[in-house]
Amino acid sequence: MTMEAATVAPRLQISTWMVDSDKVARRLRTRSAASFSPRLKDRNMTQVLLPHLPTPKVSNRQRHVSLEVSCSYKNFPASTVESGNFHTLDESLVLKNKALAIEPYLNGRCIYLVGMMGSGKTTVGKIMAQALSYSFIDSDSLVEHDVGGTSVAEIFKLYGEGFFRDKETEALRKLSLMHRLVVSTGGGAVVRPVNWKCMKKGISVWLDVPLEALAQRIAAVGTGSRPLLHHGSGDAYRKTYMRLTSLFEERGDSYANANARVSLENIAAKLGYSDVSNLTPTAIVIEALEQIEGYLKEEHRHAHITF
């Protein structure tokens, strides 16, 4: 049975970036080079100069202007770069350029986010969907809707985990027939091979978050909505961490089947953070798109197509 994406979730749109080419040229000609913040110098970052633009020979009308800027955190955290009186070259611009660069090569394929509970799949998924002009879907929400609005925790309590997993597989099978979706999957969706058959029609991305960080997040908000973690009195962090460790031992190899892996520890190291909790969701999405880009390049290389 098929289902139209438009009936499942609202379409998220982004506006095309339009700038006045004459104004851009005049502003850029008044500056011979970019100036940089002390933070950039302290971190020994590579300087980035905006190109000189010749005087346009056309009338003052709006057009698309592509400014070639770095779309990667591999060289520098763009949020630390400043150029004269221009606005800070922030994460949003880096994200926009990265999304524009890879979206044509996705060919409308869905992106499936996998990972442990609390890894931020919903938050990351919504930002990614907006950047790519995709729609966002939470597979757990589809299951809840299919069971009359009953929450996942109540479904586990009333019908058992097996019933929930069957409904989850049904939801993923329906989603696999669609296009241009970012799908947040349940933490245990990876344990069933049949679910991977559905997700392989798209691109799967593993959000790999340290268990310590997951335990802190979940313990801080409570475990009532997470049936596999719900426990009684006692130290919430310690019990949550122990249960997460056990679950990861069961699922770790399955998560590794994803087409791309996004390690929050690696992102933090590149940006000079000692704690992954300092990362913004946008920074995680940028890394996810870079990993997807790497996968696409490898895929095209095998097909002898230049990316």
Side-chain angles (χ1 to χ4, degrees), residues 128-164:
M128 181 183 293
Q130 184 172 14
L132 294 171
S133 291
Y134 272 36
S135 294
F136 172 79
I137 298 288
D138 185 317
S139 65
D140 281 356
S141 296
L142 290 184
V143 173
E144 291 175 339
H145 178 76
D146 192 43
V147 189
T150 307
S151 69
V152 171
E154 285 297 310
I155 292 173
F156 268 72
K157 181 178 179 180
L158 295 173
Y159 307 107
E161 182 177 359
F163 176 88
F164 171 81

Side-chain angles (χ1 to χ4, degrees), residues 182-201:
V182 175
V183 180
S184 170
T185 67
V190 296
V191 300
R192 285 190 171 186
V194 65
N195 292 344
W196 279 109
K197 290 182 179 179
C198 297
M199 292 189 286
K200 285 187 179 298
K201 295 181 180 179

Side-chain angles (χ1 to χ4, degrees), residues 7 28 35 46 79 91 95 106 117 120-121 134 170 178 185 205 222 244 251 282:
T7 64
L28 289 178
S35 59
T46 303
S79 58
E91 290 176 335
L95 173 60
L106 290 172
M117 61 187 78
K121 297 186 293 291
Y134 272 36
E170 288 180 18
M178 304 179 195
T185 67
V205 180
L244 288 174
R251 303 172 178 175
T282 300

Side-chain angles (χ1 to χ4, degrees), residues 46-277:
T46 303
Q47 292 187 348
V48 178
L49 301 181
L50 292 174
H52 173 75
L53 295 180
T55 302
K57 298 180 180 180
V58 296
S59 60
N60 182 22
R61 62 191 182 88
Q62 291 202 324
R63 64 182 63 186
H64 291 282
V65 178
S66 177
L67 296 180
E68 294 297 330
V69 297
S70 172
C71 297
S72 171
Y73 277 148
K74 294 177 181 176
N75 298 320
F76 59 86
S79 58
T80 67
V81 180
E82 296 173 356
S83 177
N85 294 324
F86 282 96
H87 293 297
T88 301
L89 185 60
D90 60 6
E91 290 176 335
S92 297
L93 182 56
V94 176
L95 173 60
K96 183 170 187 175
N97 279 274
K98 177 59 67 177
L100 289 173
I102 74 168
E103 191 275 334
Y105 298 94
L106 290 172
N107 295 320
R109 282 181 290 180
C110 294
I111 296 174
Y112 296 89
L113 301 180
V114 302
M116 294 284 285
M117 61 187 78
S119 59
K121 297 186 293 291
T122 297
T123 300
V124 167
K126 289 180 178 180
I127 296 173
M128 181 183 293
Q130 184 172 14
L132 294 171
S133 291
Y134 272 36
S135 294
F136 172 79
I137 298 288
D138 185 317
S139 65
D140 281 356
S141 296
L142 290 184
V143 173
E144 291 175 339
H145 178 76
D146 192 43
V147 189
T150 307
S151 69
V152 171
E154 285 297 310
I155 292 173
F156 268 72
K157 181 178 179 180
L158 295 173
Y159 307 107
E161 182 177 359
F163 176 88
F164 171 81
R165 296 301 173 197
D166 289 342
K167 290 293 184 180
E168 181 176 58
T169 297
E170 288 180 18
L172 290 173
R173 185 177 291 114
K174 293 175 182 178
L175 292 172
S176 71
L177 301 175
M178 304 179 195
H179 297 87
R180 301 185 68 82
L181 299 176
V182 175
V183 180
S184 170
T185 67
V190 296
V191 300
R192 285 190 171 186
V194 65
N195 292 344
W196 279 109
K197 290 182 179 179
C198 297
M199 292 189 286
K200 285 187 179 298
K201 295 181 180 179
I203 298 173
S204 52
V205 180
W206 172 25
L207 298 185
D208 186 8
V209 183
L211 296 181
E212 296 85 355
L214 289 178
Q216 289 173 355
R217 291 180 188 178
I218 295 172
V221 299
T223 60
S225 64
R226 303 185 184 279
L228 294 181
L229 291 183
H230 190 57
H231 46 63
S233 60
D235 182 71
Y237 170 81
R238 185 180 66 83
K239 290 186 176 181
T240 300
Y241 177 77
M242 292 179 62
R243 180 56 178 148
L244 288 174
T245 300
S246 176
L247 287 172
F248 186 76
E249 289 176 354
E250 298 172 6
R251 303 172 178 175
D253 290 341
S254 297
Y255 290 135
N257 289 326
N259 299 127
R261 171 177 173 258
V262 177
S263 167
L264 268 63
E265 287 185 325
N266 289 347
I267 304 173
K270 286 195 291 184
L271 297 181
Y273 296 134
S274 59
D275 188 343
V276 299
S277 64

